Amino acid sequence: MAKSQGNGSGGRSLDAVIVGAGFAGMYMLYQLRNLGFSAKVIERADGVGGTWYWNRYPGARCDVESLNYSFSFDNDLEQEWVWSERYSPQPEILKYANHVADRFDLRKDIEFQTSVDKAVWDDNECRWAISTSKGETISAQHYIMASGCLSHSKLPEIPGVDSYQGPTYHTGHWPHEGVDFTGMRIGVIGTGSSGIQSIPELAKQAAHVTVFQRTPNFSMPAGNRALEADEVDAMKAIYPEHRQAARTSGFGVPVPLPERSALEVSEEERNEVFQRGWDSGNLVGMLLGFNDLLTSKEANDTACEFVRNKIRAIVKDPQTAEDLCPFDHPLGTKRPCLDSGYYETFNRDNVKLINLRRTPIEEITPTGIRTSDQEFTFDAIIFATGFDAMTGALVAVDIEGQDGITLKNKWQDGTRTYLGIMVHGFPNLFTITGPASPSVFSNMMISIEQHVDWIAACMVYLRDHGKASIEASQEAEDFWVQHNTEAGDATLYPLANSWYMGSNVPGKPRVLMPYIGGVGVYREECDDIVANGYRGFVMRDAREKASV
Ligand code: FAD
Ligand code: NAP
């Protein structure tokens, strides 16, 4: 075990530096410490929780059921924690993150209010030099990015975005003390999951809410409710089998897979299945009604029309209802949403929808927002405009691998990874839930645990075999990039302009970033690669130079 020590240039020397103290970074630290590695987590925030630290907007809650969206690595933790709601609210999830940190005494190895800004690979020493905002350069054999798929928030590219004189809030950076909108006239830009969760709550408080919608989304009722003690107990009694089923499932939640096509049943039967999905309050409830909704446009169209008819039935004003109906992408190809009264909110007198496809925003002004046909004055503007997803936090750090190549340059034409865990040319750099892994196409807890376990086992292997470094080979990376693309191309996902495809960031290459093969299939592939001597990876003995 390498002890934390000086590296000759005044900084420390560690086995691993982990970036981020969300669920991924916390579990990575827990694992590495237990395995006898010296490791530190560097976290920009002043607390743990990642997503649940930053996204404190009203209405924020998980949309994978809490009994699934929680750690499974420790039986006692799993048994002692009690979730209060089917989809627990952000404060409770943050409390859980803090509980995990305290329970496993993680804080002593987390350095808060510190950013990692730069990391440079030294090919002679087989170590990373990792520079922080505190002016320190830490030497580490392994550099682990647990920096989050949805942590790099972004403002809209709208002229005058900085000119507004009133208060602005991004859902991904919500003030800790909360915001009182009582009596205010507010504008909200964005109708993704964050907008759809927050708009009903904002409308209950503000005097008036104007919602600026560029693309309507498909949203289904969450059916959120308090959890009964006996259903929690029932789950706890079967947790081991339940979690195992989640690990081998498609989306990280055990749900039965359908066998029939939506096109081989009568319209009446199809609508009954869709109704059950709609009523299930499950994110994939409708999508898993039939086996071809993500692969056949014709089948998917039937589900789209079912949801559009729901919107038309809920929203009283026909024009508003039609404006809320998505027509430009198949159901599920932009991240579907679960809501609590979203469409109903547009029946309120104090809520107005602006369809930006008809009247686009021309600029943000010092007093509000001007569209092509109207000027709005607001007391506050809320940006629910999302994230530079999957890659934003990774390339925000200046990561320099072999031969001075940066990750940003390497990915300028599209992300390239092997398994979403490693990148050719960047030895000993691990990306938890990185691009081309199931990540955001899954219950993230399941994917985080699988990646952390894989990385920890890999580091033990290197240590036990006297290896200084591991790197994805060019051939393995090429194979995985192609496999990821082919898996995506067999689905409808490429038809949408989604953050999955990088379309929400101007100039970002259009690539389906997450892996759609399913978490169970993916796990088998990762295990098989290990069983075959880390197929596709090249290892070097200490200080041995090797051409890879
Ligand atoms: P994060 O939680 O994003 O943590 C990353 C951390 O890294 C952050 O704290 C950040 O400050 C830090 N960091 C990044 N770069 C640096 C740097 N250079 N230096 C220092 N620190 C840095 N997933 C689900 O499966 N189910 C859900 O219901 C669900 N709901 C979500 C709701 C919201 C509002 C959002 C935004 C996402 C949601 N997700 C959900 C996805 C969610 O991001 C993951 O479930 C999970 O929380 C990610 O954990 P993480 O540790 O990988 O990353
Ligand atoms: P998002 O899904 O990317 O939505 C951003 C919204 O802002 C979109 O409606 C987008 O419109 C709009 N927008 C961006 N730039 C704009 C511009 N210049 N003009 C007008 N509109 C603009 O981001 P998000 O809602 O924060 O969600 C991101 C992801 O985080 C989700 O998909 C989900 O994975 C996760 N999340 C989950 C939950 C949950 O329920 N648990 C809650 C929040 C977030 P276009 O669609 O036209 O680009």
Side-chain angles (χ1 to χ4, degrees):
M1 161 180 162
K3 287 273 178 233
S4 179
Q5 59 197 12
N7 67 2
S9 59
R12 286 166 292 172
S13 185
L14 298 166
D15 291 327
V17 163
I18 302 162
V19 182
F23 287 130
M26 287 200 291
Y27 180 44
M28 191 78 246
L29 174 63
Y30 167 85
Q31 277 286 38
L32 292 188
R33 251 178 23 190
N34 283 350
L35 292 165
F37 291 102
S38 61
K40 292 280 177 199
V41 172
I42 309 290
E43 168 57 59
R44 178 174 292 133
D46 67 3
V48 298
T51 288
W52 306 102
Y53 172 95
W54 295 107
N55 292 263
R56 300 176 189 229
Y57 58 84
R61 57 182 69 249
C62 53
D63 60 3
V64 169
E65 290 181 63
S66 295
L67 290 170
N68 288 308
Y69 187 68
S70 44
F71 279 127
S72 70
F73 69 83
D74 185 275
N75 185 52
D76 292 342
L77 168 68
E78 194 172 64
Q79 291 296 324
E80 78 199 6
W81 184 263
V82 181
W83 292 107
S84 69
E85 294 181 41
R86 184 182 184 194
Y87 297 107
S88 290
Q90 171 272 330
E92 188 170 322
I93 305 173
L94 183 58
K95 197 169 159 196
Y96 174 73
N98 277 288
H99 172 73
V100 172
D102 293 335
R103 194 182 195 293
F104 300 106
D105 195 16
L106 298 179
R107 282 176 221 280
K108 68 178 182 206
D109 289 314
I110 305 177
E111 295 172 17
F112 294 108
Q113 293 179 290
T114 311
S115 296
V116 168
D117 299 331
K118 188 174 172 71
V120 181
W121 173 249
D122 181 333
D123 215 31
N124 291 319
E125 295 298 322
C126 284
R127 293 185 76 81
W128 285 94
I130 296 149
S131 307
T132 76
S133 56
K134 297 256 168 83
E136 187 185 13
T137 298
I138 305 171
S139 170
Q141 185 182 359
H142 300 287
Y143 175 42
I144 304 171
M145 289 298 274
S147 49
C149 295
L150 294 159
S151 57
H152 198 79
S153 62
K154 67 178 287 294
L155 289 170
E157 293 75 20
I158 298 175
V161 69
D162 294 326
S163 69
Y164 180 66
Q165 299 293 301
T168 59
Y169 305 96
H170 191 290
T171 47
H173 286 274
W174 204 260
H176 290 196
E177 64 281 10
V179 187
D180 183 2
F181 292 107
T182 308
M184 290 193 187
R185 299 178 69 81
I186 61 176
V188 182
I189 301 178
T191 52
S193 302
S194 302
I196 281 174
Q197 282 190 330
S198 58
I199 288 162
E201 295 305 312
L202 294 166
K204 288 178 198 162
Q205 199 181 60
H208 193 273
V209 181
T210 307
V211 177
F212 295 89
Q213 171 198 273
R214 187 164 66 184
T215 311
N217 244 310
F218 291 100
S219 185
M220 285 148 277
N224 189 35
R225 56 180 171 74
L227 284 172
E228 304 291 339
D230 55 355
E231 63 184 315
V232 174
D233 291 347
M235 175 60 91
K236 287 182 176 178
I238 58 151
Y239 248 145
E241 305 91 276
H242 182 83
R243 300 290 202 185
Q244 189 49 29
R247 291 181 195 115
T248 56
S249 69
F251 293 99
V253 177
V255 274
L257 292 178
E259 281 166 9
R260 289 180 308 170
S261 158
L263 303 176
E264 71 184 51
V265 298
S266 68
E267 188 180 349
E268 191 186 1
E269 193 178 346
R270 195 162 54 223
N271 284 339
E272 278 171 16
V273 172
F274 287 149
Q275 184 66 47
R276 281 200 294 279
W278 176 268
D279 292 337
S280 70
N282 188 321
L283 202 55
V284 288
M286 273 196 66
L287 282 174
L288 292 181
F290 295 100
N291 65 9
D292 53 355
L293 294 180
L294 283 172
T295 50
S296 156
K297 174 82 168 59
E298 199 186 346
N300 191 286
D301 282 344
T302 64
C304 292
E305 193 53 18
F306 179 89
V307 178
R308 287 192 290 258
N309 283 333
K310 288 288 182 193
I311 297 170
R312 291 170 184 131
I314 297 169
V315 179
K316 292 189 181 133
D317 176 57
Q319 184 61 60
T320 304
E322 220 43 40
D323 285 345
L324 284 164
C325 285
F327 282 97
D328 80 330
H329 64 280
L331 175 77
T333 57
K334 278 170 95 92
R335 173 71 150 61
C337 307
L338 285 187
D339 68 86
S340 297
Y342 176 65
Y343 294 118
E344 291 81 352
T345 297
F346 292 91
N347 292 331
R348 295 177 66 110
D349 292 338
N350 69 334
V351 176
K352 180 151 180 63
L353 181 73
I354 303 298
N355 180 345
L356 299 180
R357 299 279 181 212
R358 249 200 326 273
T359 56
I361 296 179
E362 293 196 333
E363 68 169 333
I364 295 182
T365 67
T367 53
I369 293 174
R370 187 162 56 77
T371 65
S372 58
D373 81 337
Q374 207 176 338
E375 178 134 14
F376 299 85
T377 300
F378 294 122
D379 299 311
I381 296 178
I382 292 159
F383 297 114
T385 45
F387 303 88
D388 182 352
M390 309 288 300
T391 57
L394 293 172
V395 299
V397 180
D398 186 9
I399 302 179
E400 198 179 297
Q402 284 168 332
D403 304 321
I405 294 172
T406 64
L407 194 60
K408 194 173 184 175
N409 276 342
K410 163 133 186 168
W411 285 356
Q412 65 188 349
D413 296 324
T415 47
R416 302 188 61 79
T417 73
Y418 184 32
L419 298 172
I421 304 180
M422 296 204 86
V423 183
H424 175 67
F426 296 79
N428 293 7
L429 166 68
F430 296 97
T431 52
I432 303 180
T433 64
S437 73
S439 57
V440 292
F441 278 155
S442 70
N443 168 7
M444 286 284 282
M445 290 303 227
I446 292 290
S447 290
I448 285 170
E449 287 190 334
Q450 188 248 337
H451 264 194
V452 168
D453 292 345
W454 195 97
I455 294 165
C458 176
M459 284 175 57
V460 168
Y461 182 94
L462 295 175
R463 184 174 62 186
D464 290 351
H465 292 79
K467 301 292 180 188
S469 72
I470 180 168
E471 180 188 2
S473 73
Q474 183 68 67
E475 297 71 35
E477 186 180 272
D478 290 347
F479 157 74
W480 193 254
V481 170
Q482 191 182 343
H483 176 60
N484 191 55
T485 306
E486 283 169 1
D489 285 349
T491 70
L492 302 177
Y493 283 100
L495 297 183
N497 286 323
S498 63
W499 60 256
Y500 294 144
M501 297 292 300
S503 322
N504 66 328
V505 178
K508 194 164 172 172
R510 197 177 160 79
V511 175
L512 181 65
M513 290 180 285
Y515 176 60
I516 190 59
V519 301
V521 169
Y522 173 81
R523 177 184 294 267
E524 271 178 33
E525 180 70 10
C526 289
D527 292 348
D528 188 60
I529 283 167
V530 174
N532 284 281
Y534 284 89
R535 189 179 63 234
F537 289 100
V538 179
M539 298 184 191
R540 278 193 277 174
D541 290 331
R543 310 221 171 192
E544 170 206 335
K545 284 262 190 185
S547 160
V548 286

PDB file of all heavy atoms in Angstrom, residues 521-532:
ATOM      1  N   VAL A 521     -26.296  -7.156 -20.301  1.00  0.00           N
ATOM      2  CA  VAL A 521     -25.428  -7.560 -21.413  1.00  0.00           C
ATOM      3  C   VAL A 521     -24.049  -6.906 -21.244  1.00  0.00           C
ATOM      4  O   VAL A 521     -23.001  -7.540 -21.415  1.00  0.00           O
ATOM      5  CB  VAL A 521     -26.068  -7.115 -22.750  1.00  0.00           C
ATOM      6  CG1 VAL A 521     -25.098  -7.267 -23.911  1.00  0.00           C
ATOM      7  CG2 VAL A 521     -27.355  -7.880 -22.990  1.00  0.00           C
ATOM      8  N   TYR A 522     -24.072  -5.637 -20.893  1.00  0.00           N
ATOM      9  CA  TYR A 522     -22.824  -4.880 -20.735  1.00  0.00           C
ATOM     10  C   TYR A 522     -21.974  -5.464 -19.606  1.00  0.00           C
ATOM     11  O   TYR A 522     -20.760  -5.635 -19.748  1.00  0.00           O
ATOM     12  CB  TYR A 522     -23.174  -3.417 -20.459  1.00  0.00           C
ATOM     13  CG  TYR A 522     -21.983  -2.558 -20.111  1.00  0.00           C
ATOM     14  CD1 TYR A 522     -21.152  -2.040 -21.109  1.00  0.00           C
ATOM     15  CD2 TYR A 522     -21.680  -2.266 -18.787  1.00  0.00           C
ATOM     16  CE1 TYR A 522     -20.048  -1.259 -20.790  1.00  0.00           C
ATOM     17  CE2 TYR A 522     -20.587  -1.489 -18.458  1.00  0.00           C
ATOM     18  CZ  TYR A 522     -19.773  -0.983 -19.466  1.00  0.00           C
ATOM     19  OH  TYR A 522     -18.681  -0.218 -19.134  1.00  0.00           O
ATOM     20  N   ARG A 523     -22.614  -5.780 -18.499  1.00  0.00           N
ATOM     21  CA  ARG A 523     -21.885  -6.359 -17.361  1.00  0.00           C
ATOM     22  C   ARG A 523     -21.211  -7.675 -17.768  1.00  0.00           C
ATOM     23  O   ARG A 523     -20.053  -7.922 -17.433  1.00  0.00           O
ATOM     24  CB  ARG A 523     -22.875  -6.599 -16.209  1.00  0.00           C
ATOM     25  CG  ARG A 523     -22.272  -7.262 -14.978  1.00  0.00           C
ATOM     26  CD  ARG A 523     -23.353  -7.530 -13.956  1.00  0.00           C
ATOM     27  NE  ARG A 523     -23.907  -6.296 -13.446  1.00  0.00           N
ATOM     28  CZ  ARG A 523     -23.474  -5.681 -12.335  1.00  0.00           C
ATOM     29  NH1 ARG A 523     -22.508  -6.210 -11.620  1.00  0.00           N
ATOM     30  NH2 ARG A 523     -24.021  -4.564 -11.926  1.00  0.00           N
ATOM     31  N   GLU A 524     -21.958  -8.495 -18.509  1.00  0.00           N
ATOM     32  CA  GLU A 524     -21.387  -9.770 -18.981  1.00  0.00           C
ATOM     33  C   GLU A 524     -20.147  -9.523 -19.831  1.00  0.00           C
ATOM     34  O   GLU A 524     -19.141 -10.224 -19.708  1.00  0.00           O
ATOM     35  CB  GLU A 524     -22.422 -10.518 -19.832  1.00  0.00           C
ATOM     36  CG  GLU A 524     -23.313 -11.429 -19.034  1.00  0.00           C
ATOM     37  CD  GLU A 524     -24.349 -12.095 -19.941  1.00  0.00           C
ATOM     38  OE1 GLU A 524     -24.057 -12.376 -21.112  1.00  0.00           O
ATOM     39  OE2 GLU A 524     -25.469 -12.304 -19.443  1.00  0.00           O
ATOM     40  N   GLU A 525     -20.231  -8.513 -20.702  1.00  0.00           N
ATOM     41  CA  GLU A 525     -19.098  -8.190 -21.581  1.00  0.00           C
ATOM     42  C   GLU A 525     -17.886  -7.756 -20.737  1.00  0.00           C
ATOM     43  O   GLU A 525     -16.764  -8.212 -20.964  1.00  0.00           O
ATOM     44  CB  GLU A 525     -19.512  -7.073 -22.552  1.00  0.00           C
ATOM     45  CG  GLU A 525     -18.443  -6.626 -23.529  1.00  0.00           C
ATOM     46  CD  GLU A 525     -18.111  -7.656 -24.606  1.00  0.00           C
ATOM     47  OE1 GLU A 525     -18.844  -8.660 -24.713  1.00  0.00           O
ATOM     48  OE2 GLU A 525     -17.097  -7.448 -25.312  1.00  0.00           O
ATOM     49  N   CYS A 526     -18.151  -6.891 -19.754  1.00  0.00           N
ATOM     50  CA  CYS A 526     -17.046  -6.416 -18.888  1.00  0.00           C
ATOM     51  C   CYS A 526     -16.417  -7.596 -18.146  1.00  0.00           C
ATOM     52  O   CYS A 526     -15.186  -7.692 -18.033  1.00  0.00           O
ATOM     53  CB  CYS A 526     -17.568  -5.401 -17.867  1.00  0.00           C
ATOM     54  SG  CYS A 526     -18.027  -3.822 -18.591  1.00  0.00           S
ATOM     55  N   ASP A 527     -17.247  -8.501 -17.632  1.00  0.00           N
ATOM     56  CA  ASP A 527     -16.730  -9.653 -16.879  1.00  0.00           C
ATOM     57  C   ASP A 527     -15.958 -10.597 -17.796  1.00  0.00           C
ATOM     58  O   ASP A 527     -14.930 -11.155 -17.421  1.00  0.00           O
ATOM     59  CB  ASP A 527     -17.886 -10.408 -16.196  1.00  0.00           C
ATOM     60  CG  ASP A 527     -18.517  -9.580 -15.076  1.00  0.00           C
ATOM     61  OD1 ASP A 527     -17.921  -8.549 -14.702  1.00  0.00           O
ATOM     62  OD2 ASP A 527     -19.607  -9.952 -14.590  1.00  0.00           O
ATOM     63  N   ASP A 528     -16.476 -10.752 -19.008  1.00  0.00           N
ATOM     64  CA  ASP A 528     -15.836 -11.650 -19.956  1.00  0.00           C
ATOM     65  C   ASP A 528     -14.445 -11.128 -20.350  1.00  0.00           C
ATOM     66  O   ASP A 528     -13.496 -11.898 -20.512  1.00  0.00           O
ATOM     67  CB  ASP A 528     -16.741 -11.765 -21.198  1.00  0.00           C
ATOM     68  CG  ASP A 528     -16.253 -12.830 -22.145  1.00  0.00           C
ATOM     69  OD1 ASP A 528     -16.180 -13.992 -21.717  1.00  0.00           O
ATOM     70  OD2 ASP A 528     -15.909 -12.490 -23.296  1.00  0.00           O
ATOM     71  N   ILE A 529     -14.360  -9.824 -20.478  1.00  0.00           N
ATOM     72  CA  ILE A 529     -13.076  -9.199 -20.827  1.00  0.00           C
ATOM     73  C   ILE A 529     -12.048  -9.476 -19.728  1.00  0.00           C
ATOM     74  O   ILE A 529     -10.894  -9.809 -19.997  1.00  0.00           O
ATOM     75  CB  ILE A 529     -13.290  -7.683 -21.072  1.00  0.00           C
ATOM     76  CG1 ILE A 529     -13.921  -7.499 -22.457  1.00  0.00           C
ATOM     77  CG2 ILE A 529     -12.000  -6.891 -20.929  1.00  0.00           C
ATOM     78  CD1 ILE A 529     -14.479  -6.132 -22.722  1.00  0.00           C
ATOM     79  N   VAL A 530     -12.486  -9.394 -18.470  1.00  0.00           N
ATOM     80  CA  VAL A 530     -11.583  -9.686 -17.345  1.00  0.00           C
ATOM     81  C   VAL A 530     -11.215 -11.172 -17.353  1.00  0.00           C
ATOM     82  O   VAL A 530     -10.036 -11.537 -17.218  1.00  0.00           O
ATOM     83  CB  VAL A 530     -12.237  -9.288 -16.006  1.00  0.00           C
ATOM     84  CG1 VAL A 530     -11.361  -9.738 -14.836  1.00  0.00           C
ATOM     85  CG2 VAL A 530     -12.475  -7.785 -15.947  1.00  0.00           C
ATOM     86  N   ALA A 531     -12.230 -12.015 -17.544  1.00  0.00           N
ATOM     87  CA  ALA A 531     -11.984 -13.465 -17.520  1.00  0.00           C
ATOM     88  C   ALA A 531     -10.991 -13.869 -18.612  1.00  0.00           C
ATOM     89  O   ALA A 531     -10.320 -14.890 -18.499  1.00  0.00           O
ATOM     90  CB  ALA A 531     -13.303 -14.217 -17.695  1.00  0.00           C
ATOM     91  N   ASN A 532     -10.916 -13.071 -19.665  1.00  0.00           N
ATOM     92  CA  ASN A 532      -9.975 -13.362 -20.758  1.00  0.00           C
ATOM     93  C   ASN A 532      -8.727 -12.478 -20.662  1.00  0.00           C
ATOM     94  O   ASN A 532      -8.237 -11.946 -21.668  1.00  0.00           O
ATOM     95  CB  ASN A 532     -10.671 -13.180 -22.100  1.00  0.00           C
ATOM     96  CG  ASN A 532     -11.599 -14.337 -22.395  1.00  0.00           C
ATOM     97  OD1 ASN A 532     -11.155 -15.398 -22.816  1.00  0.00           O
ATOM     98  ND2 ASN A 532     -12.886 -14.154 -22.115  1.00  0.00           N
TER      99      ASN A 532
END
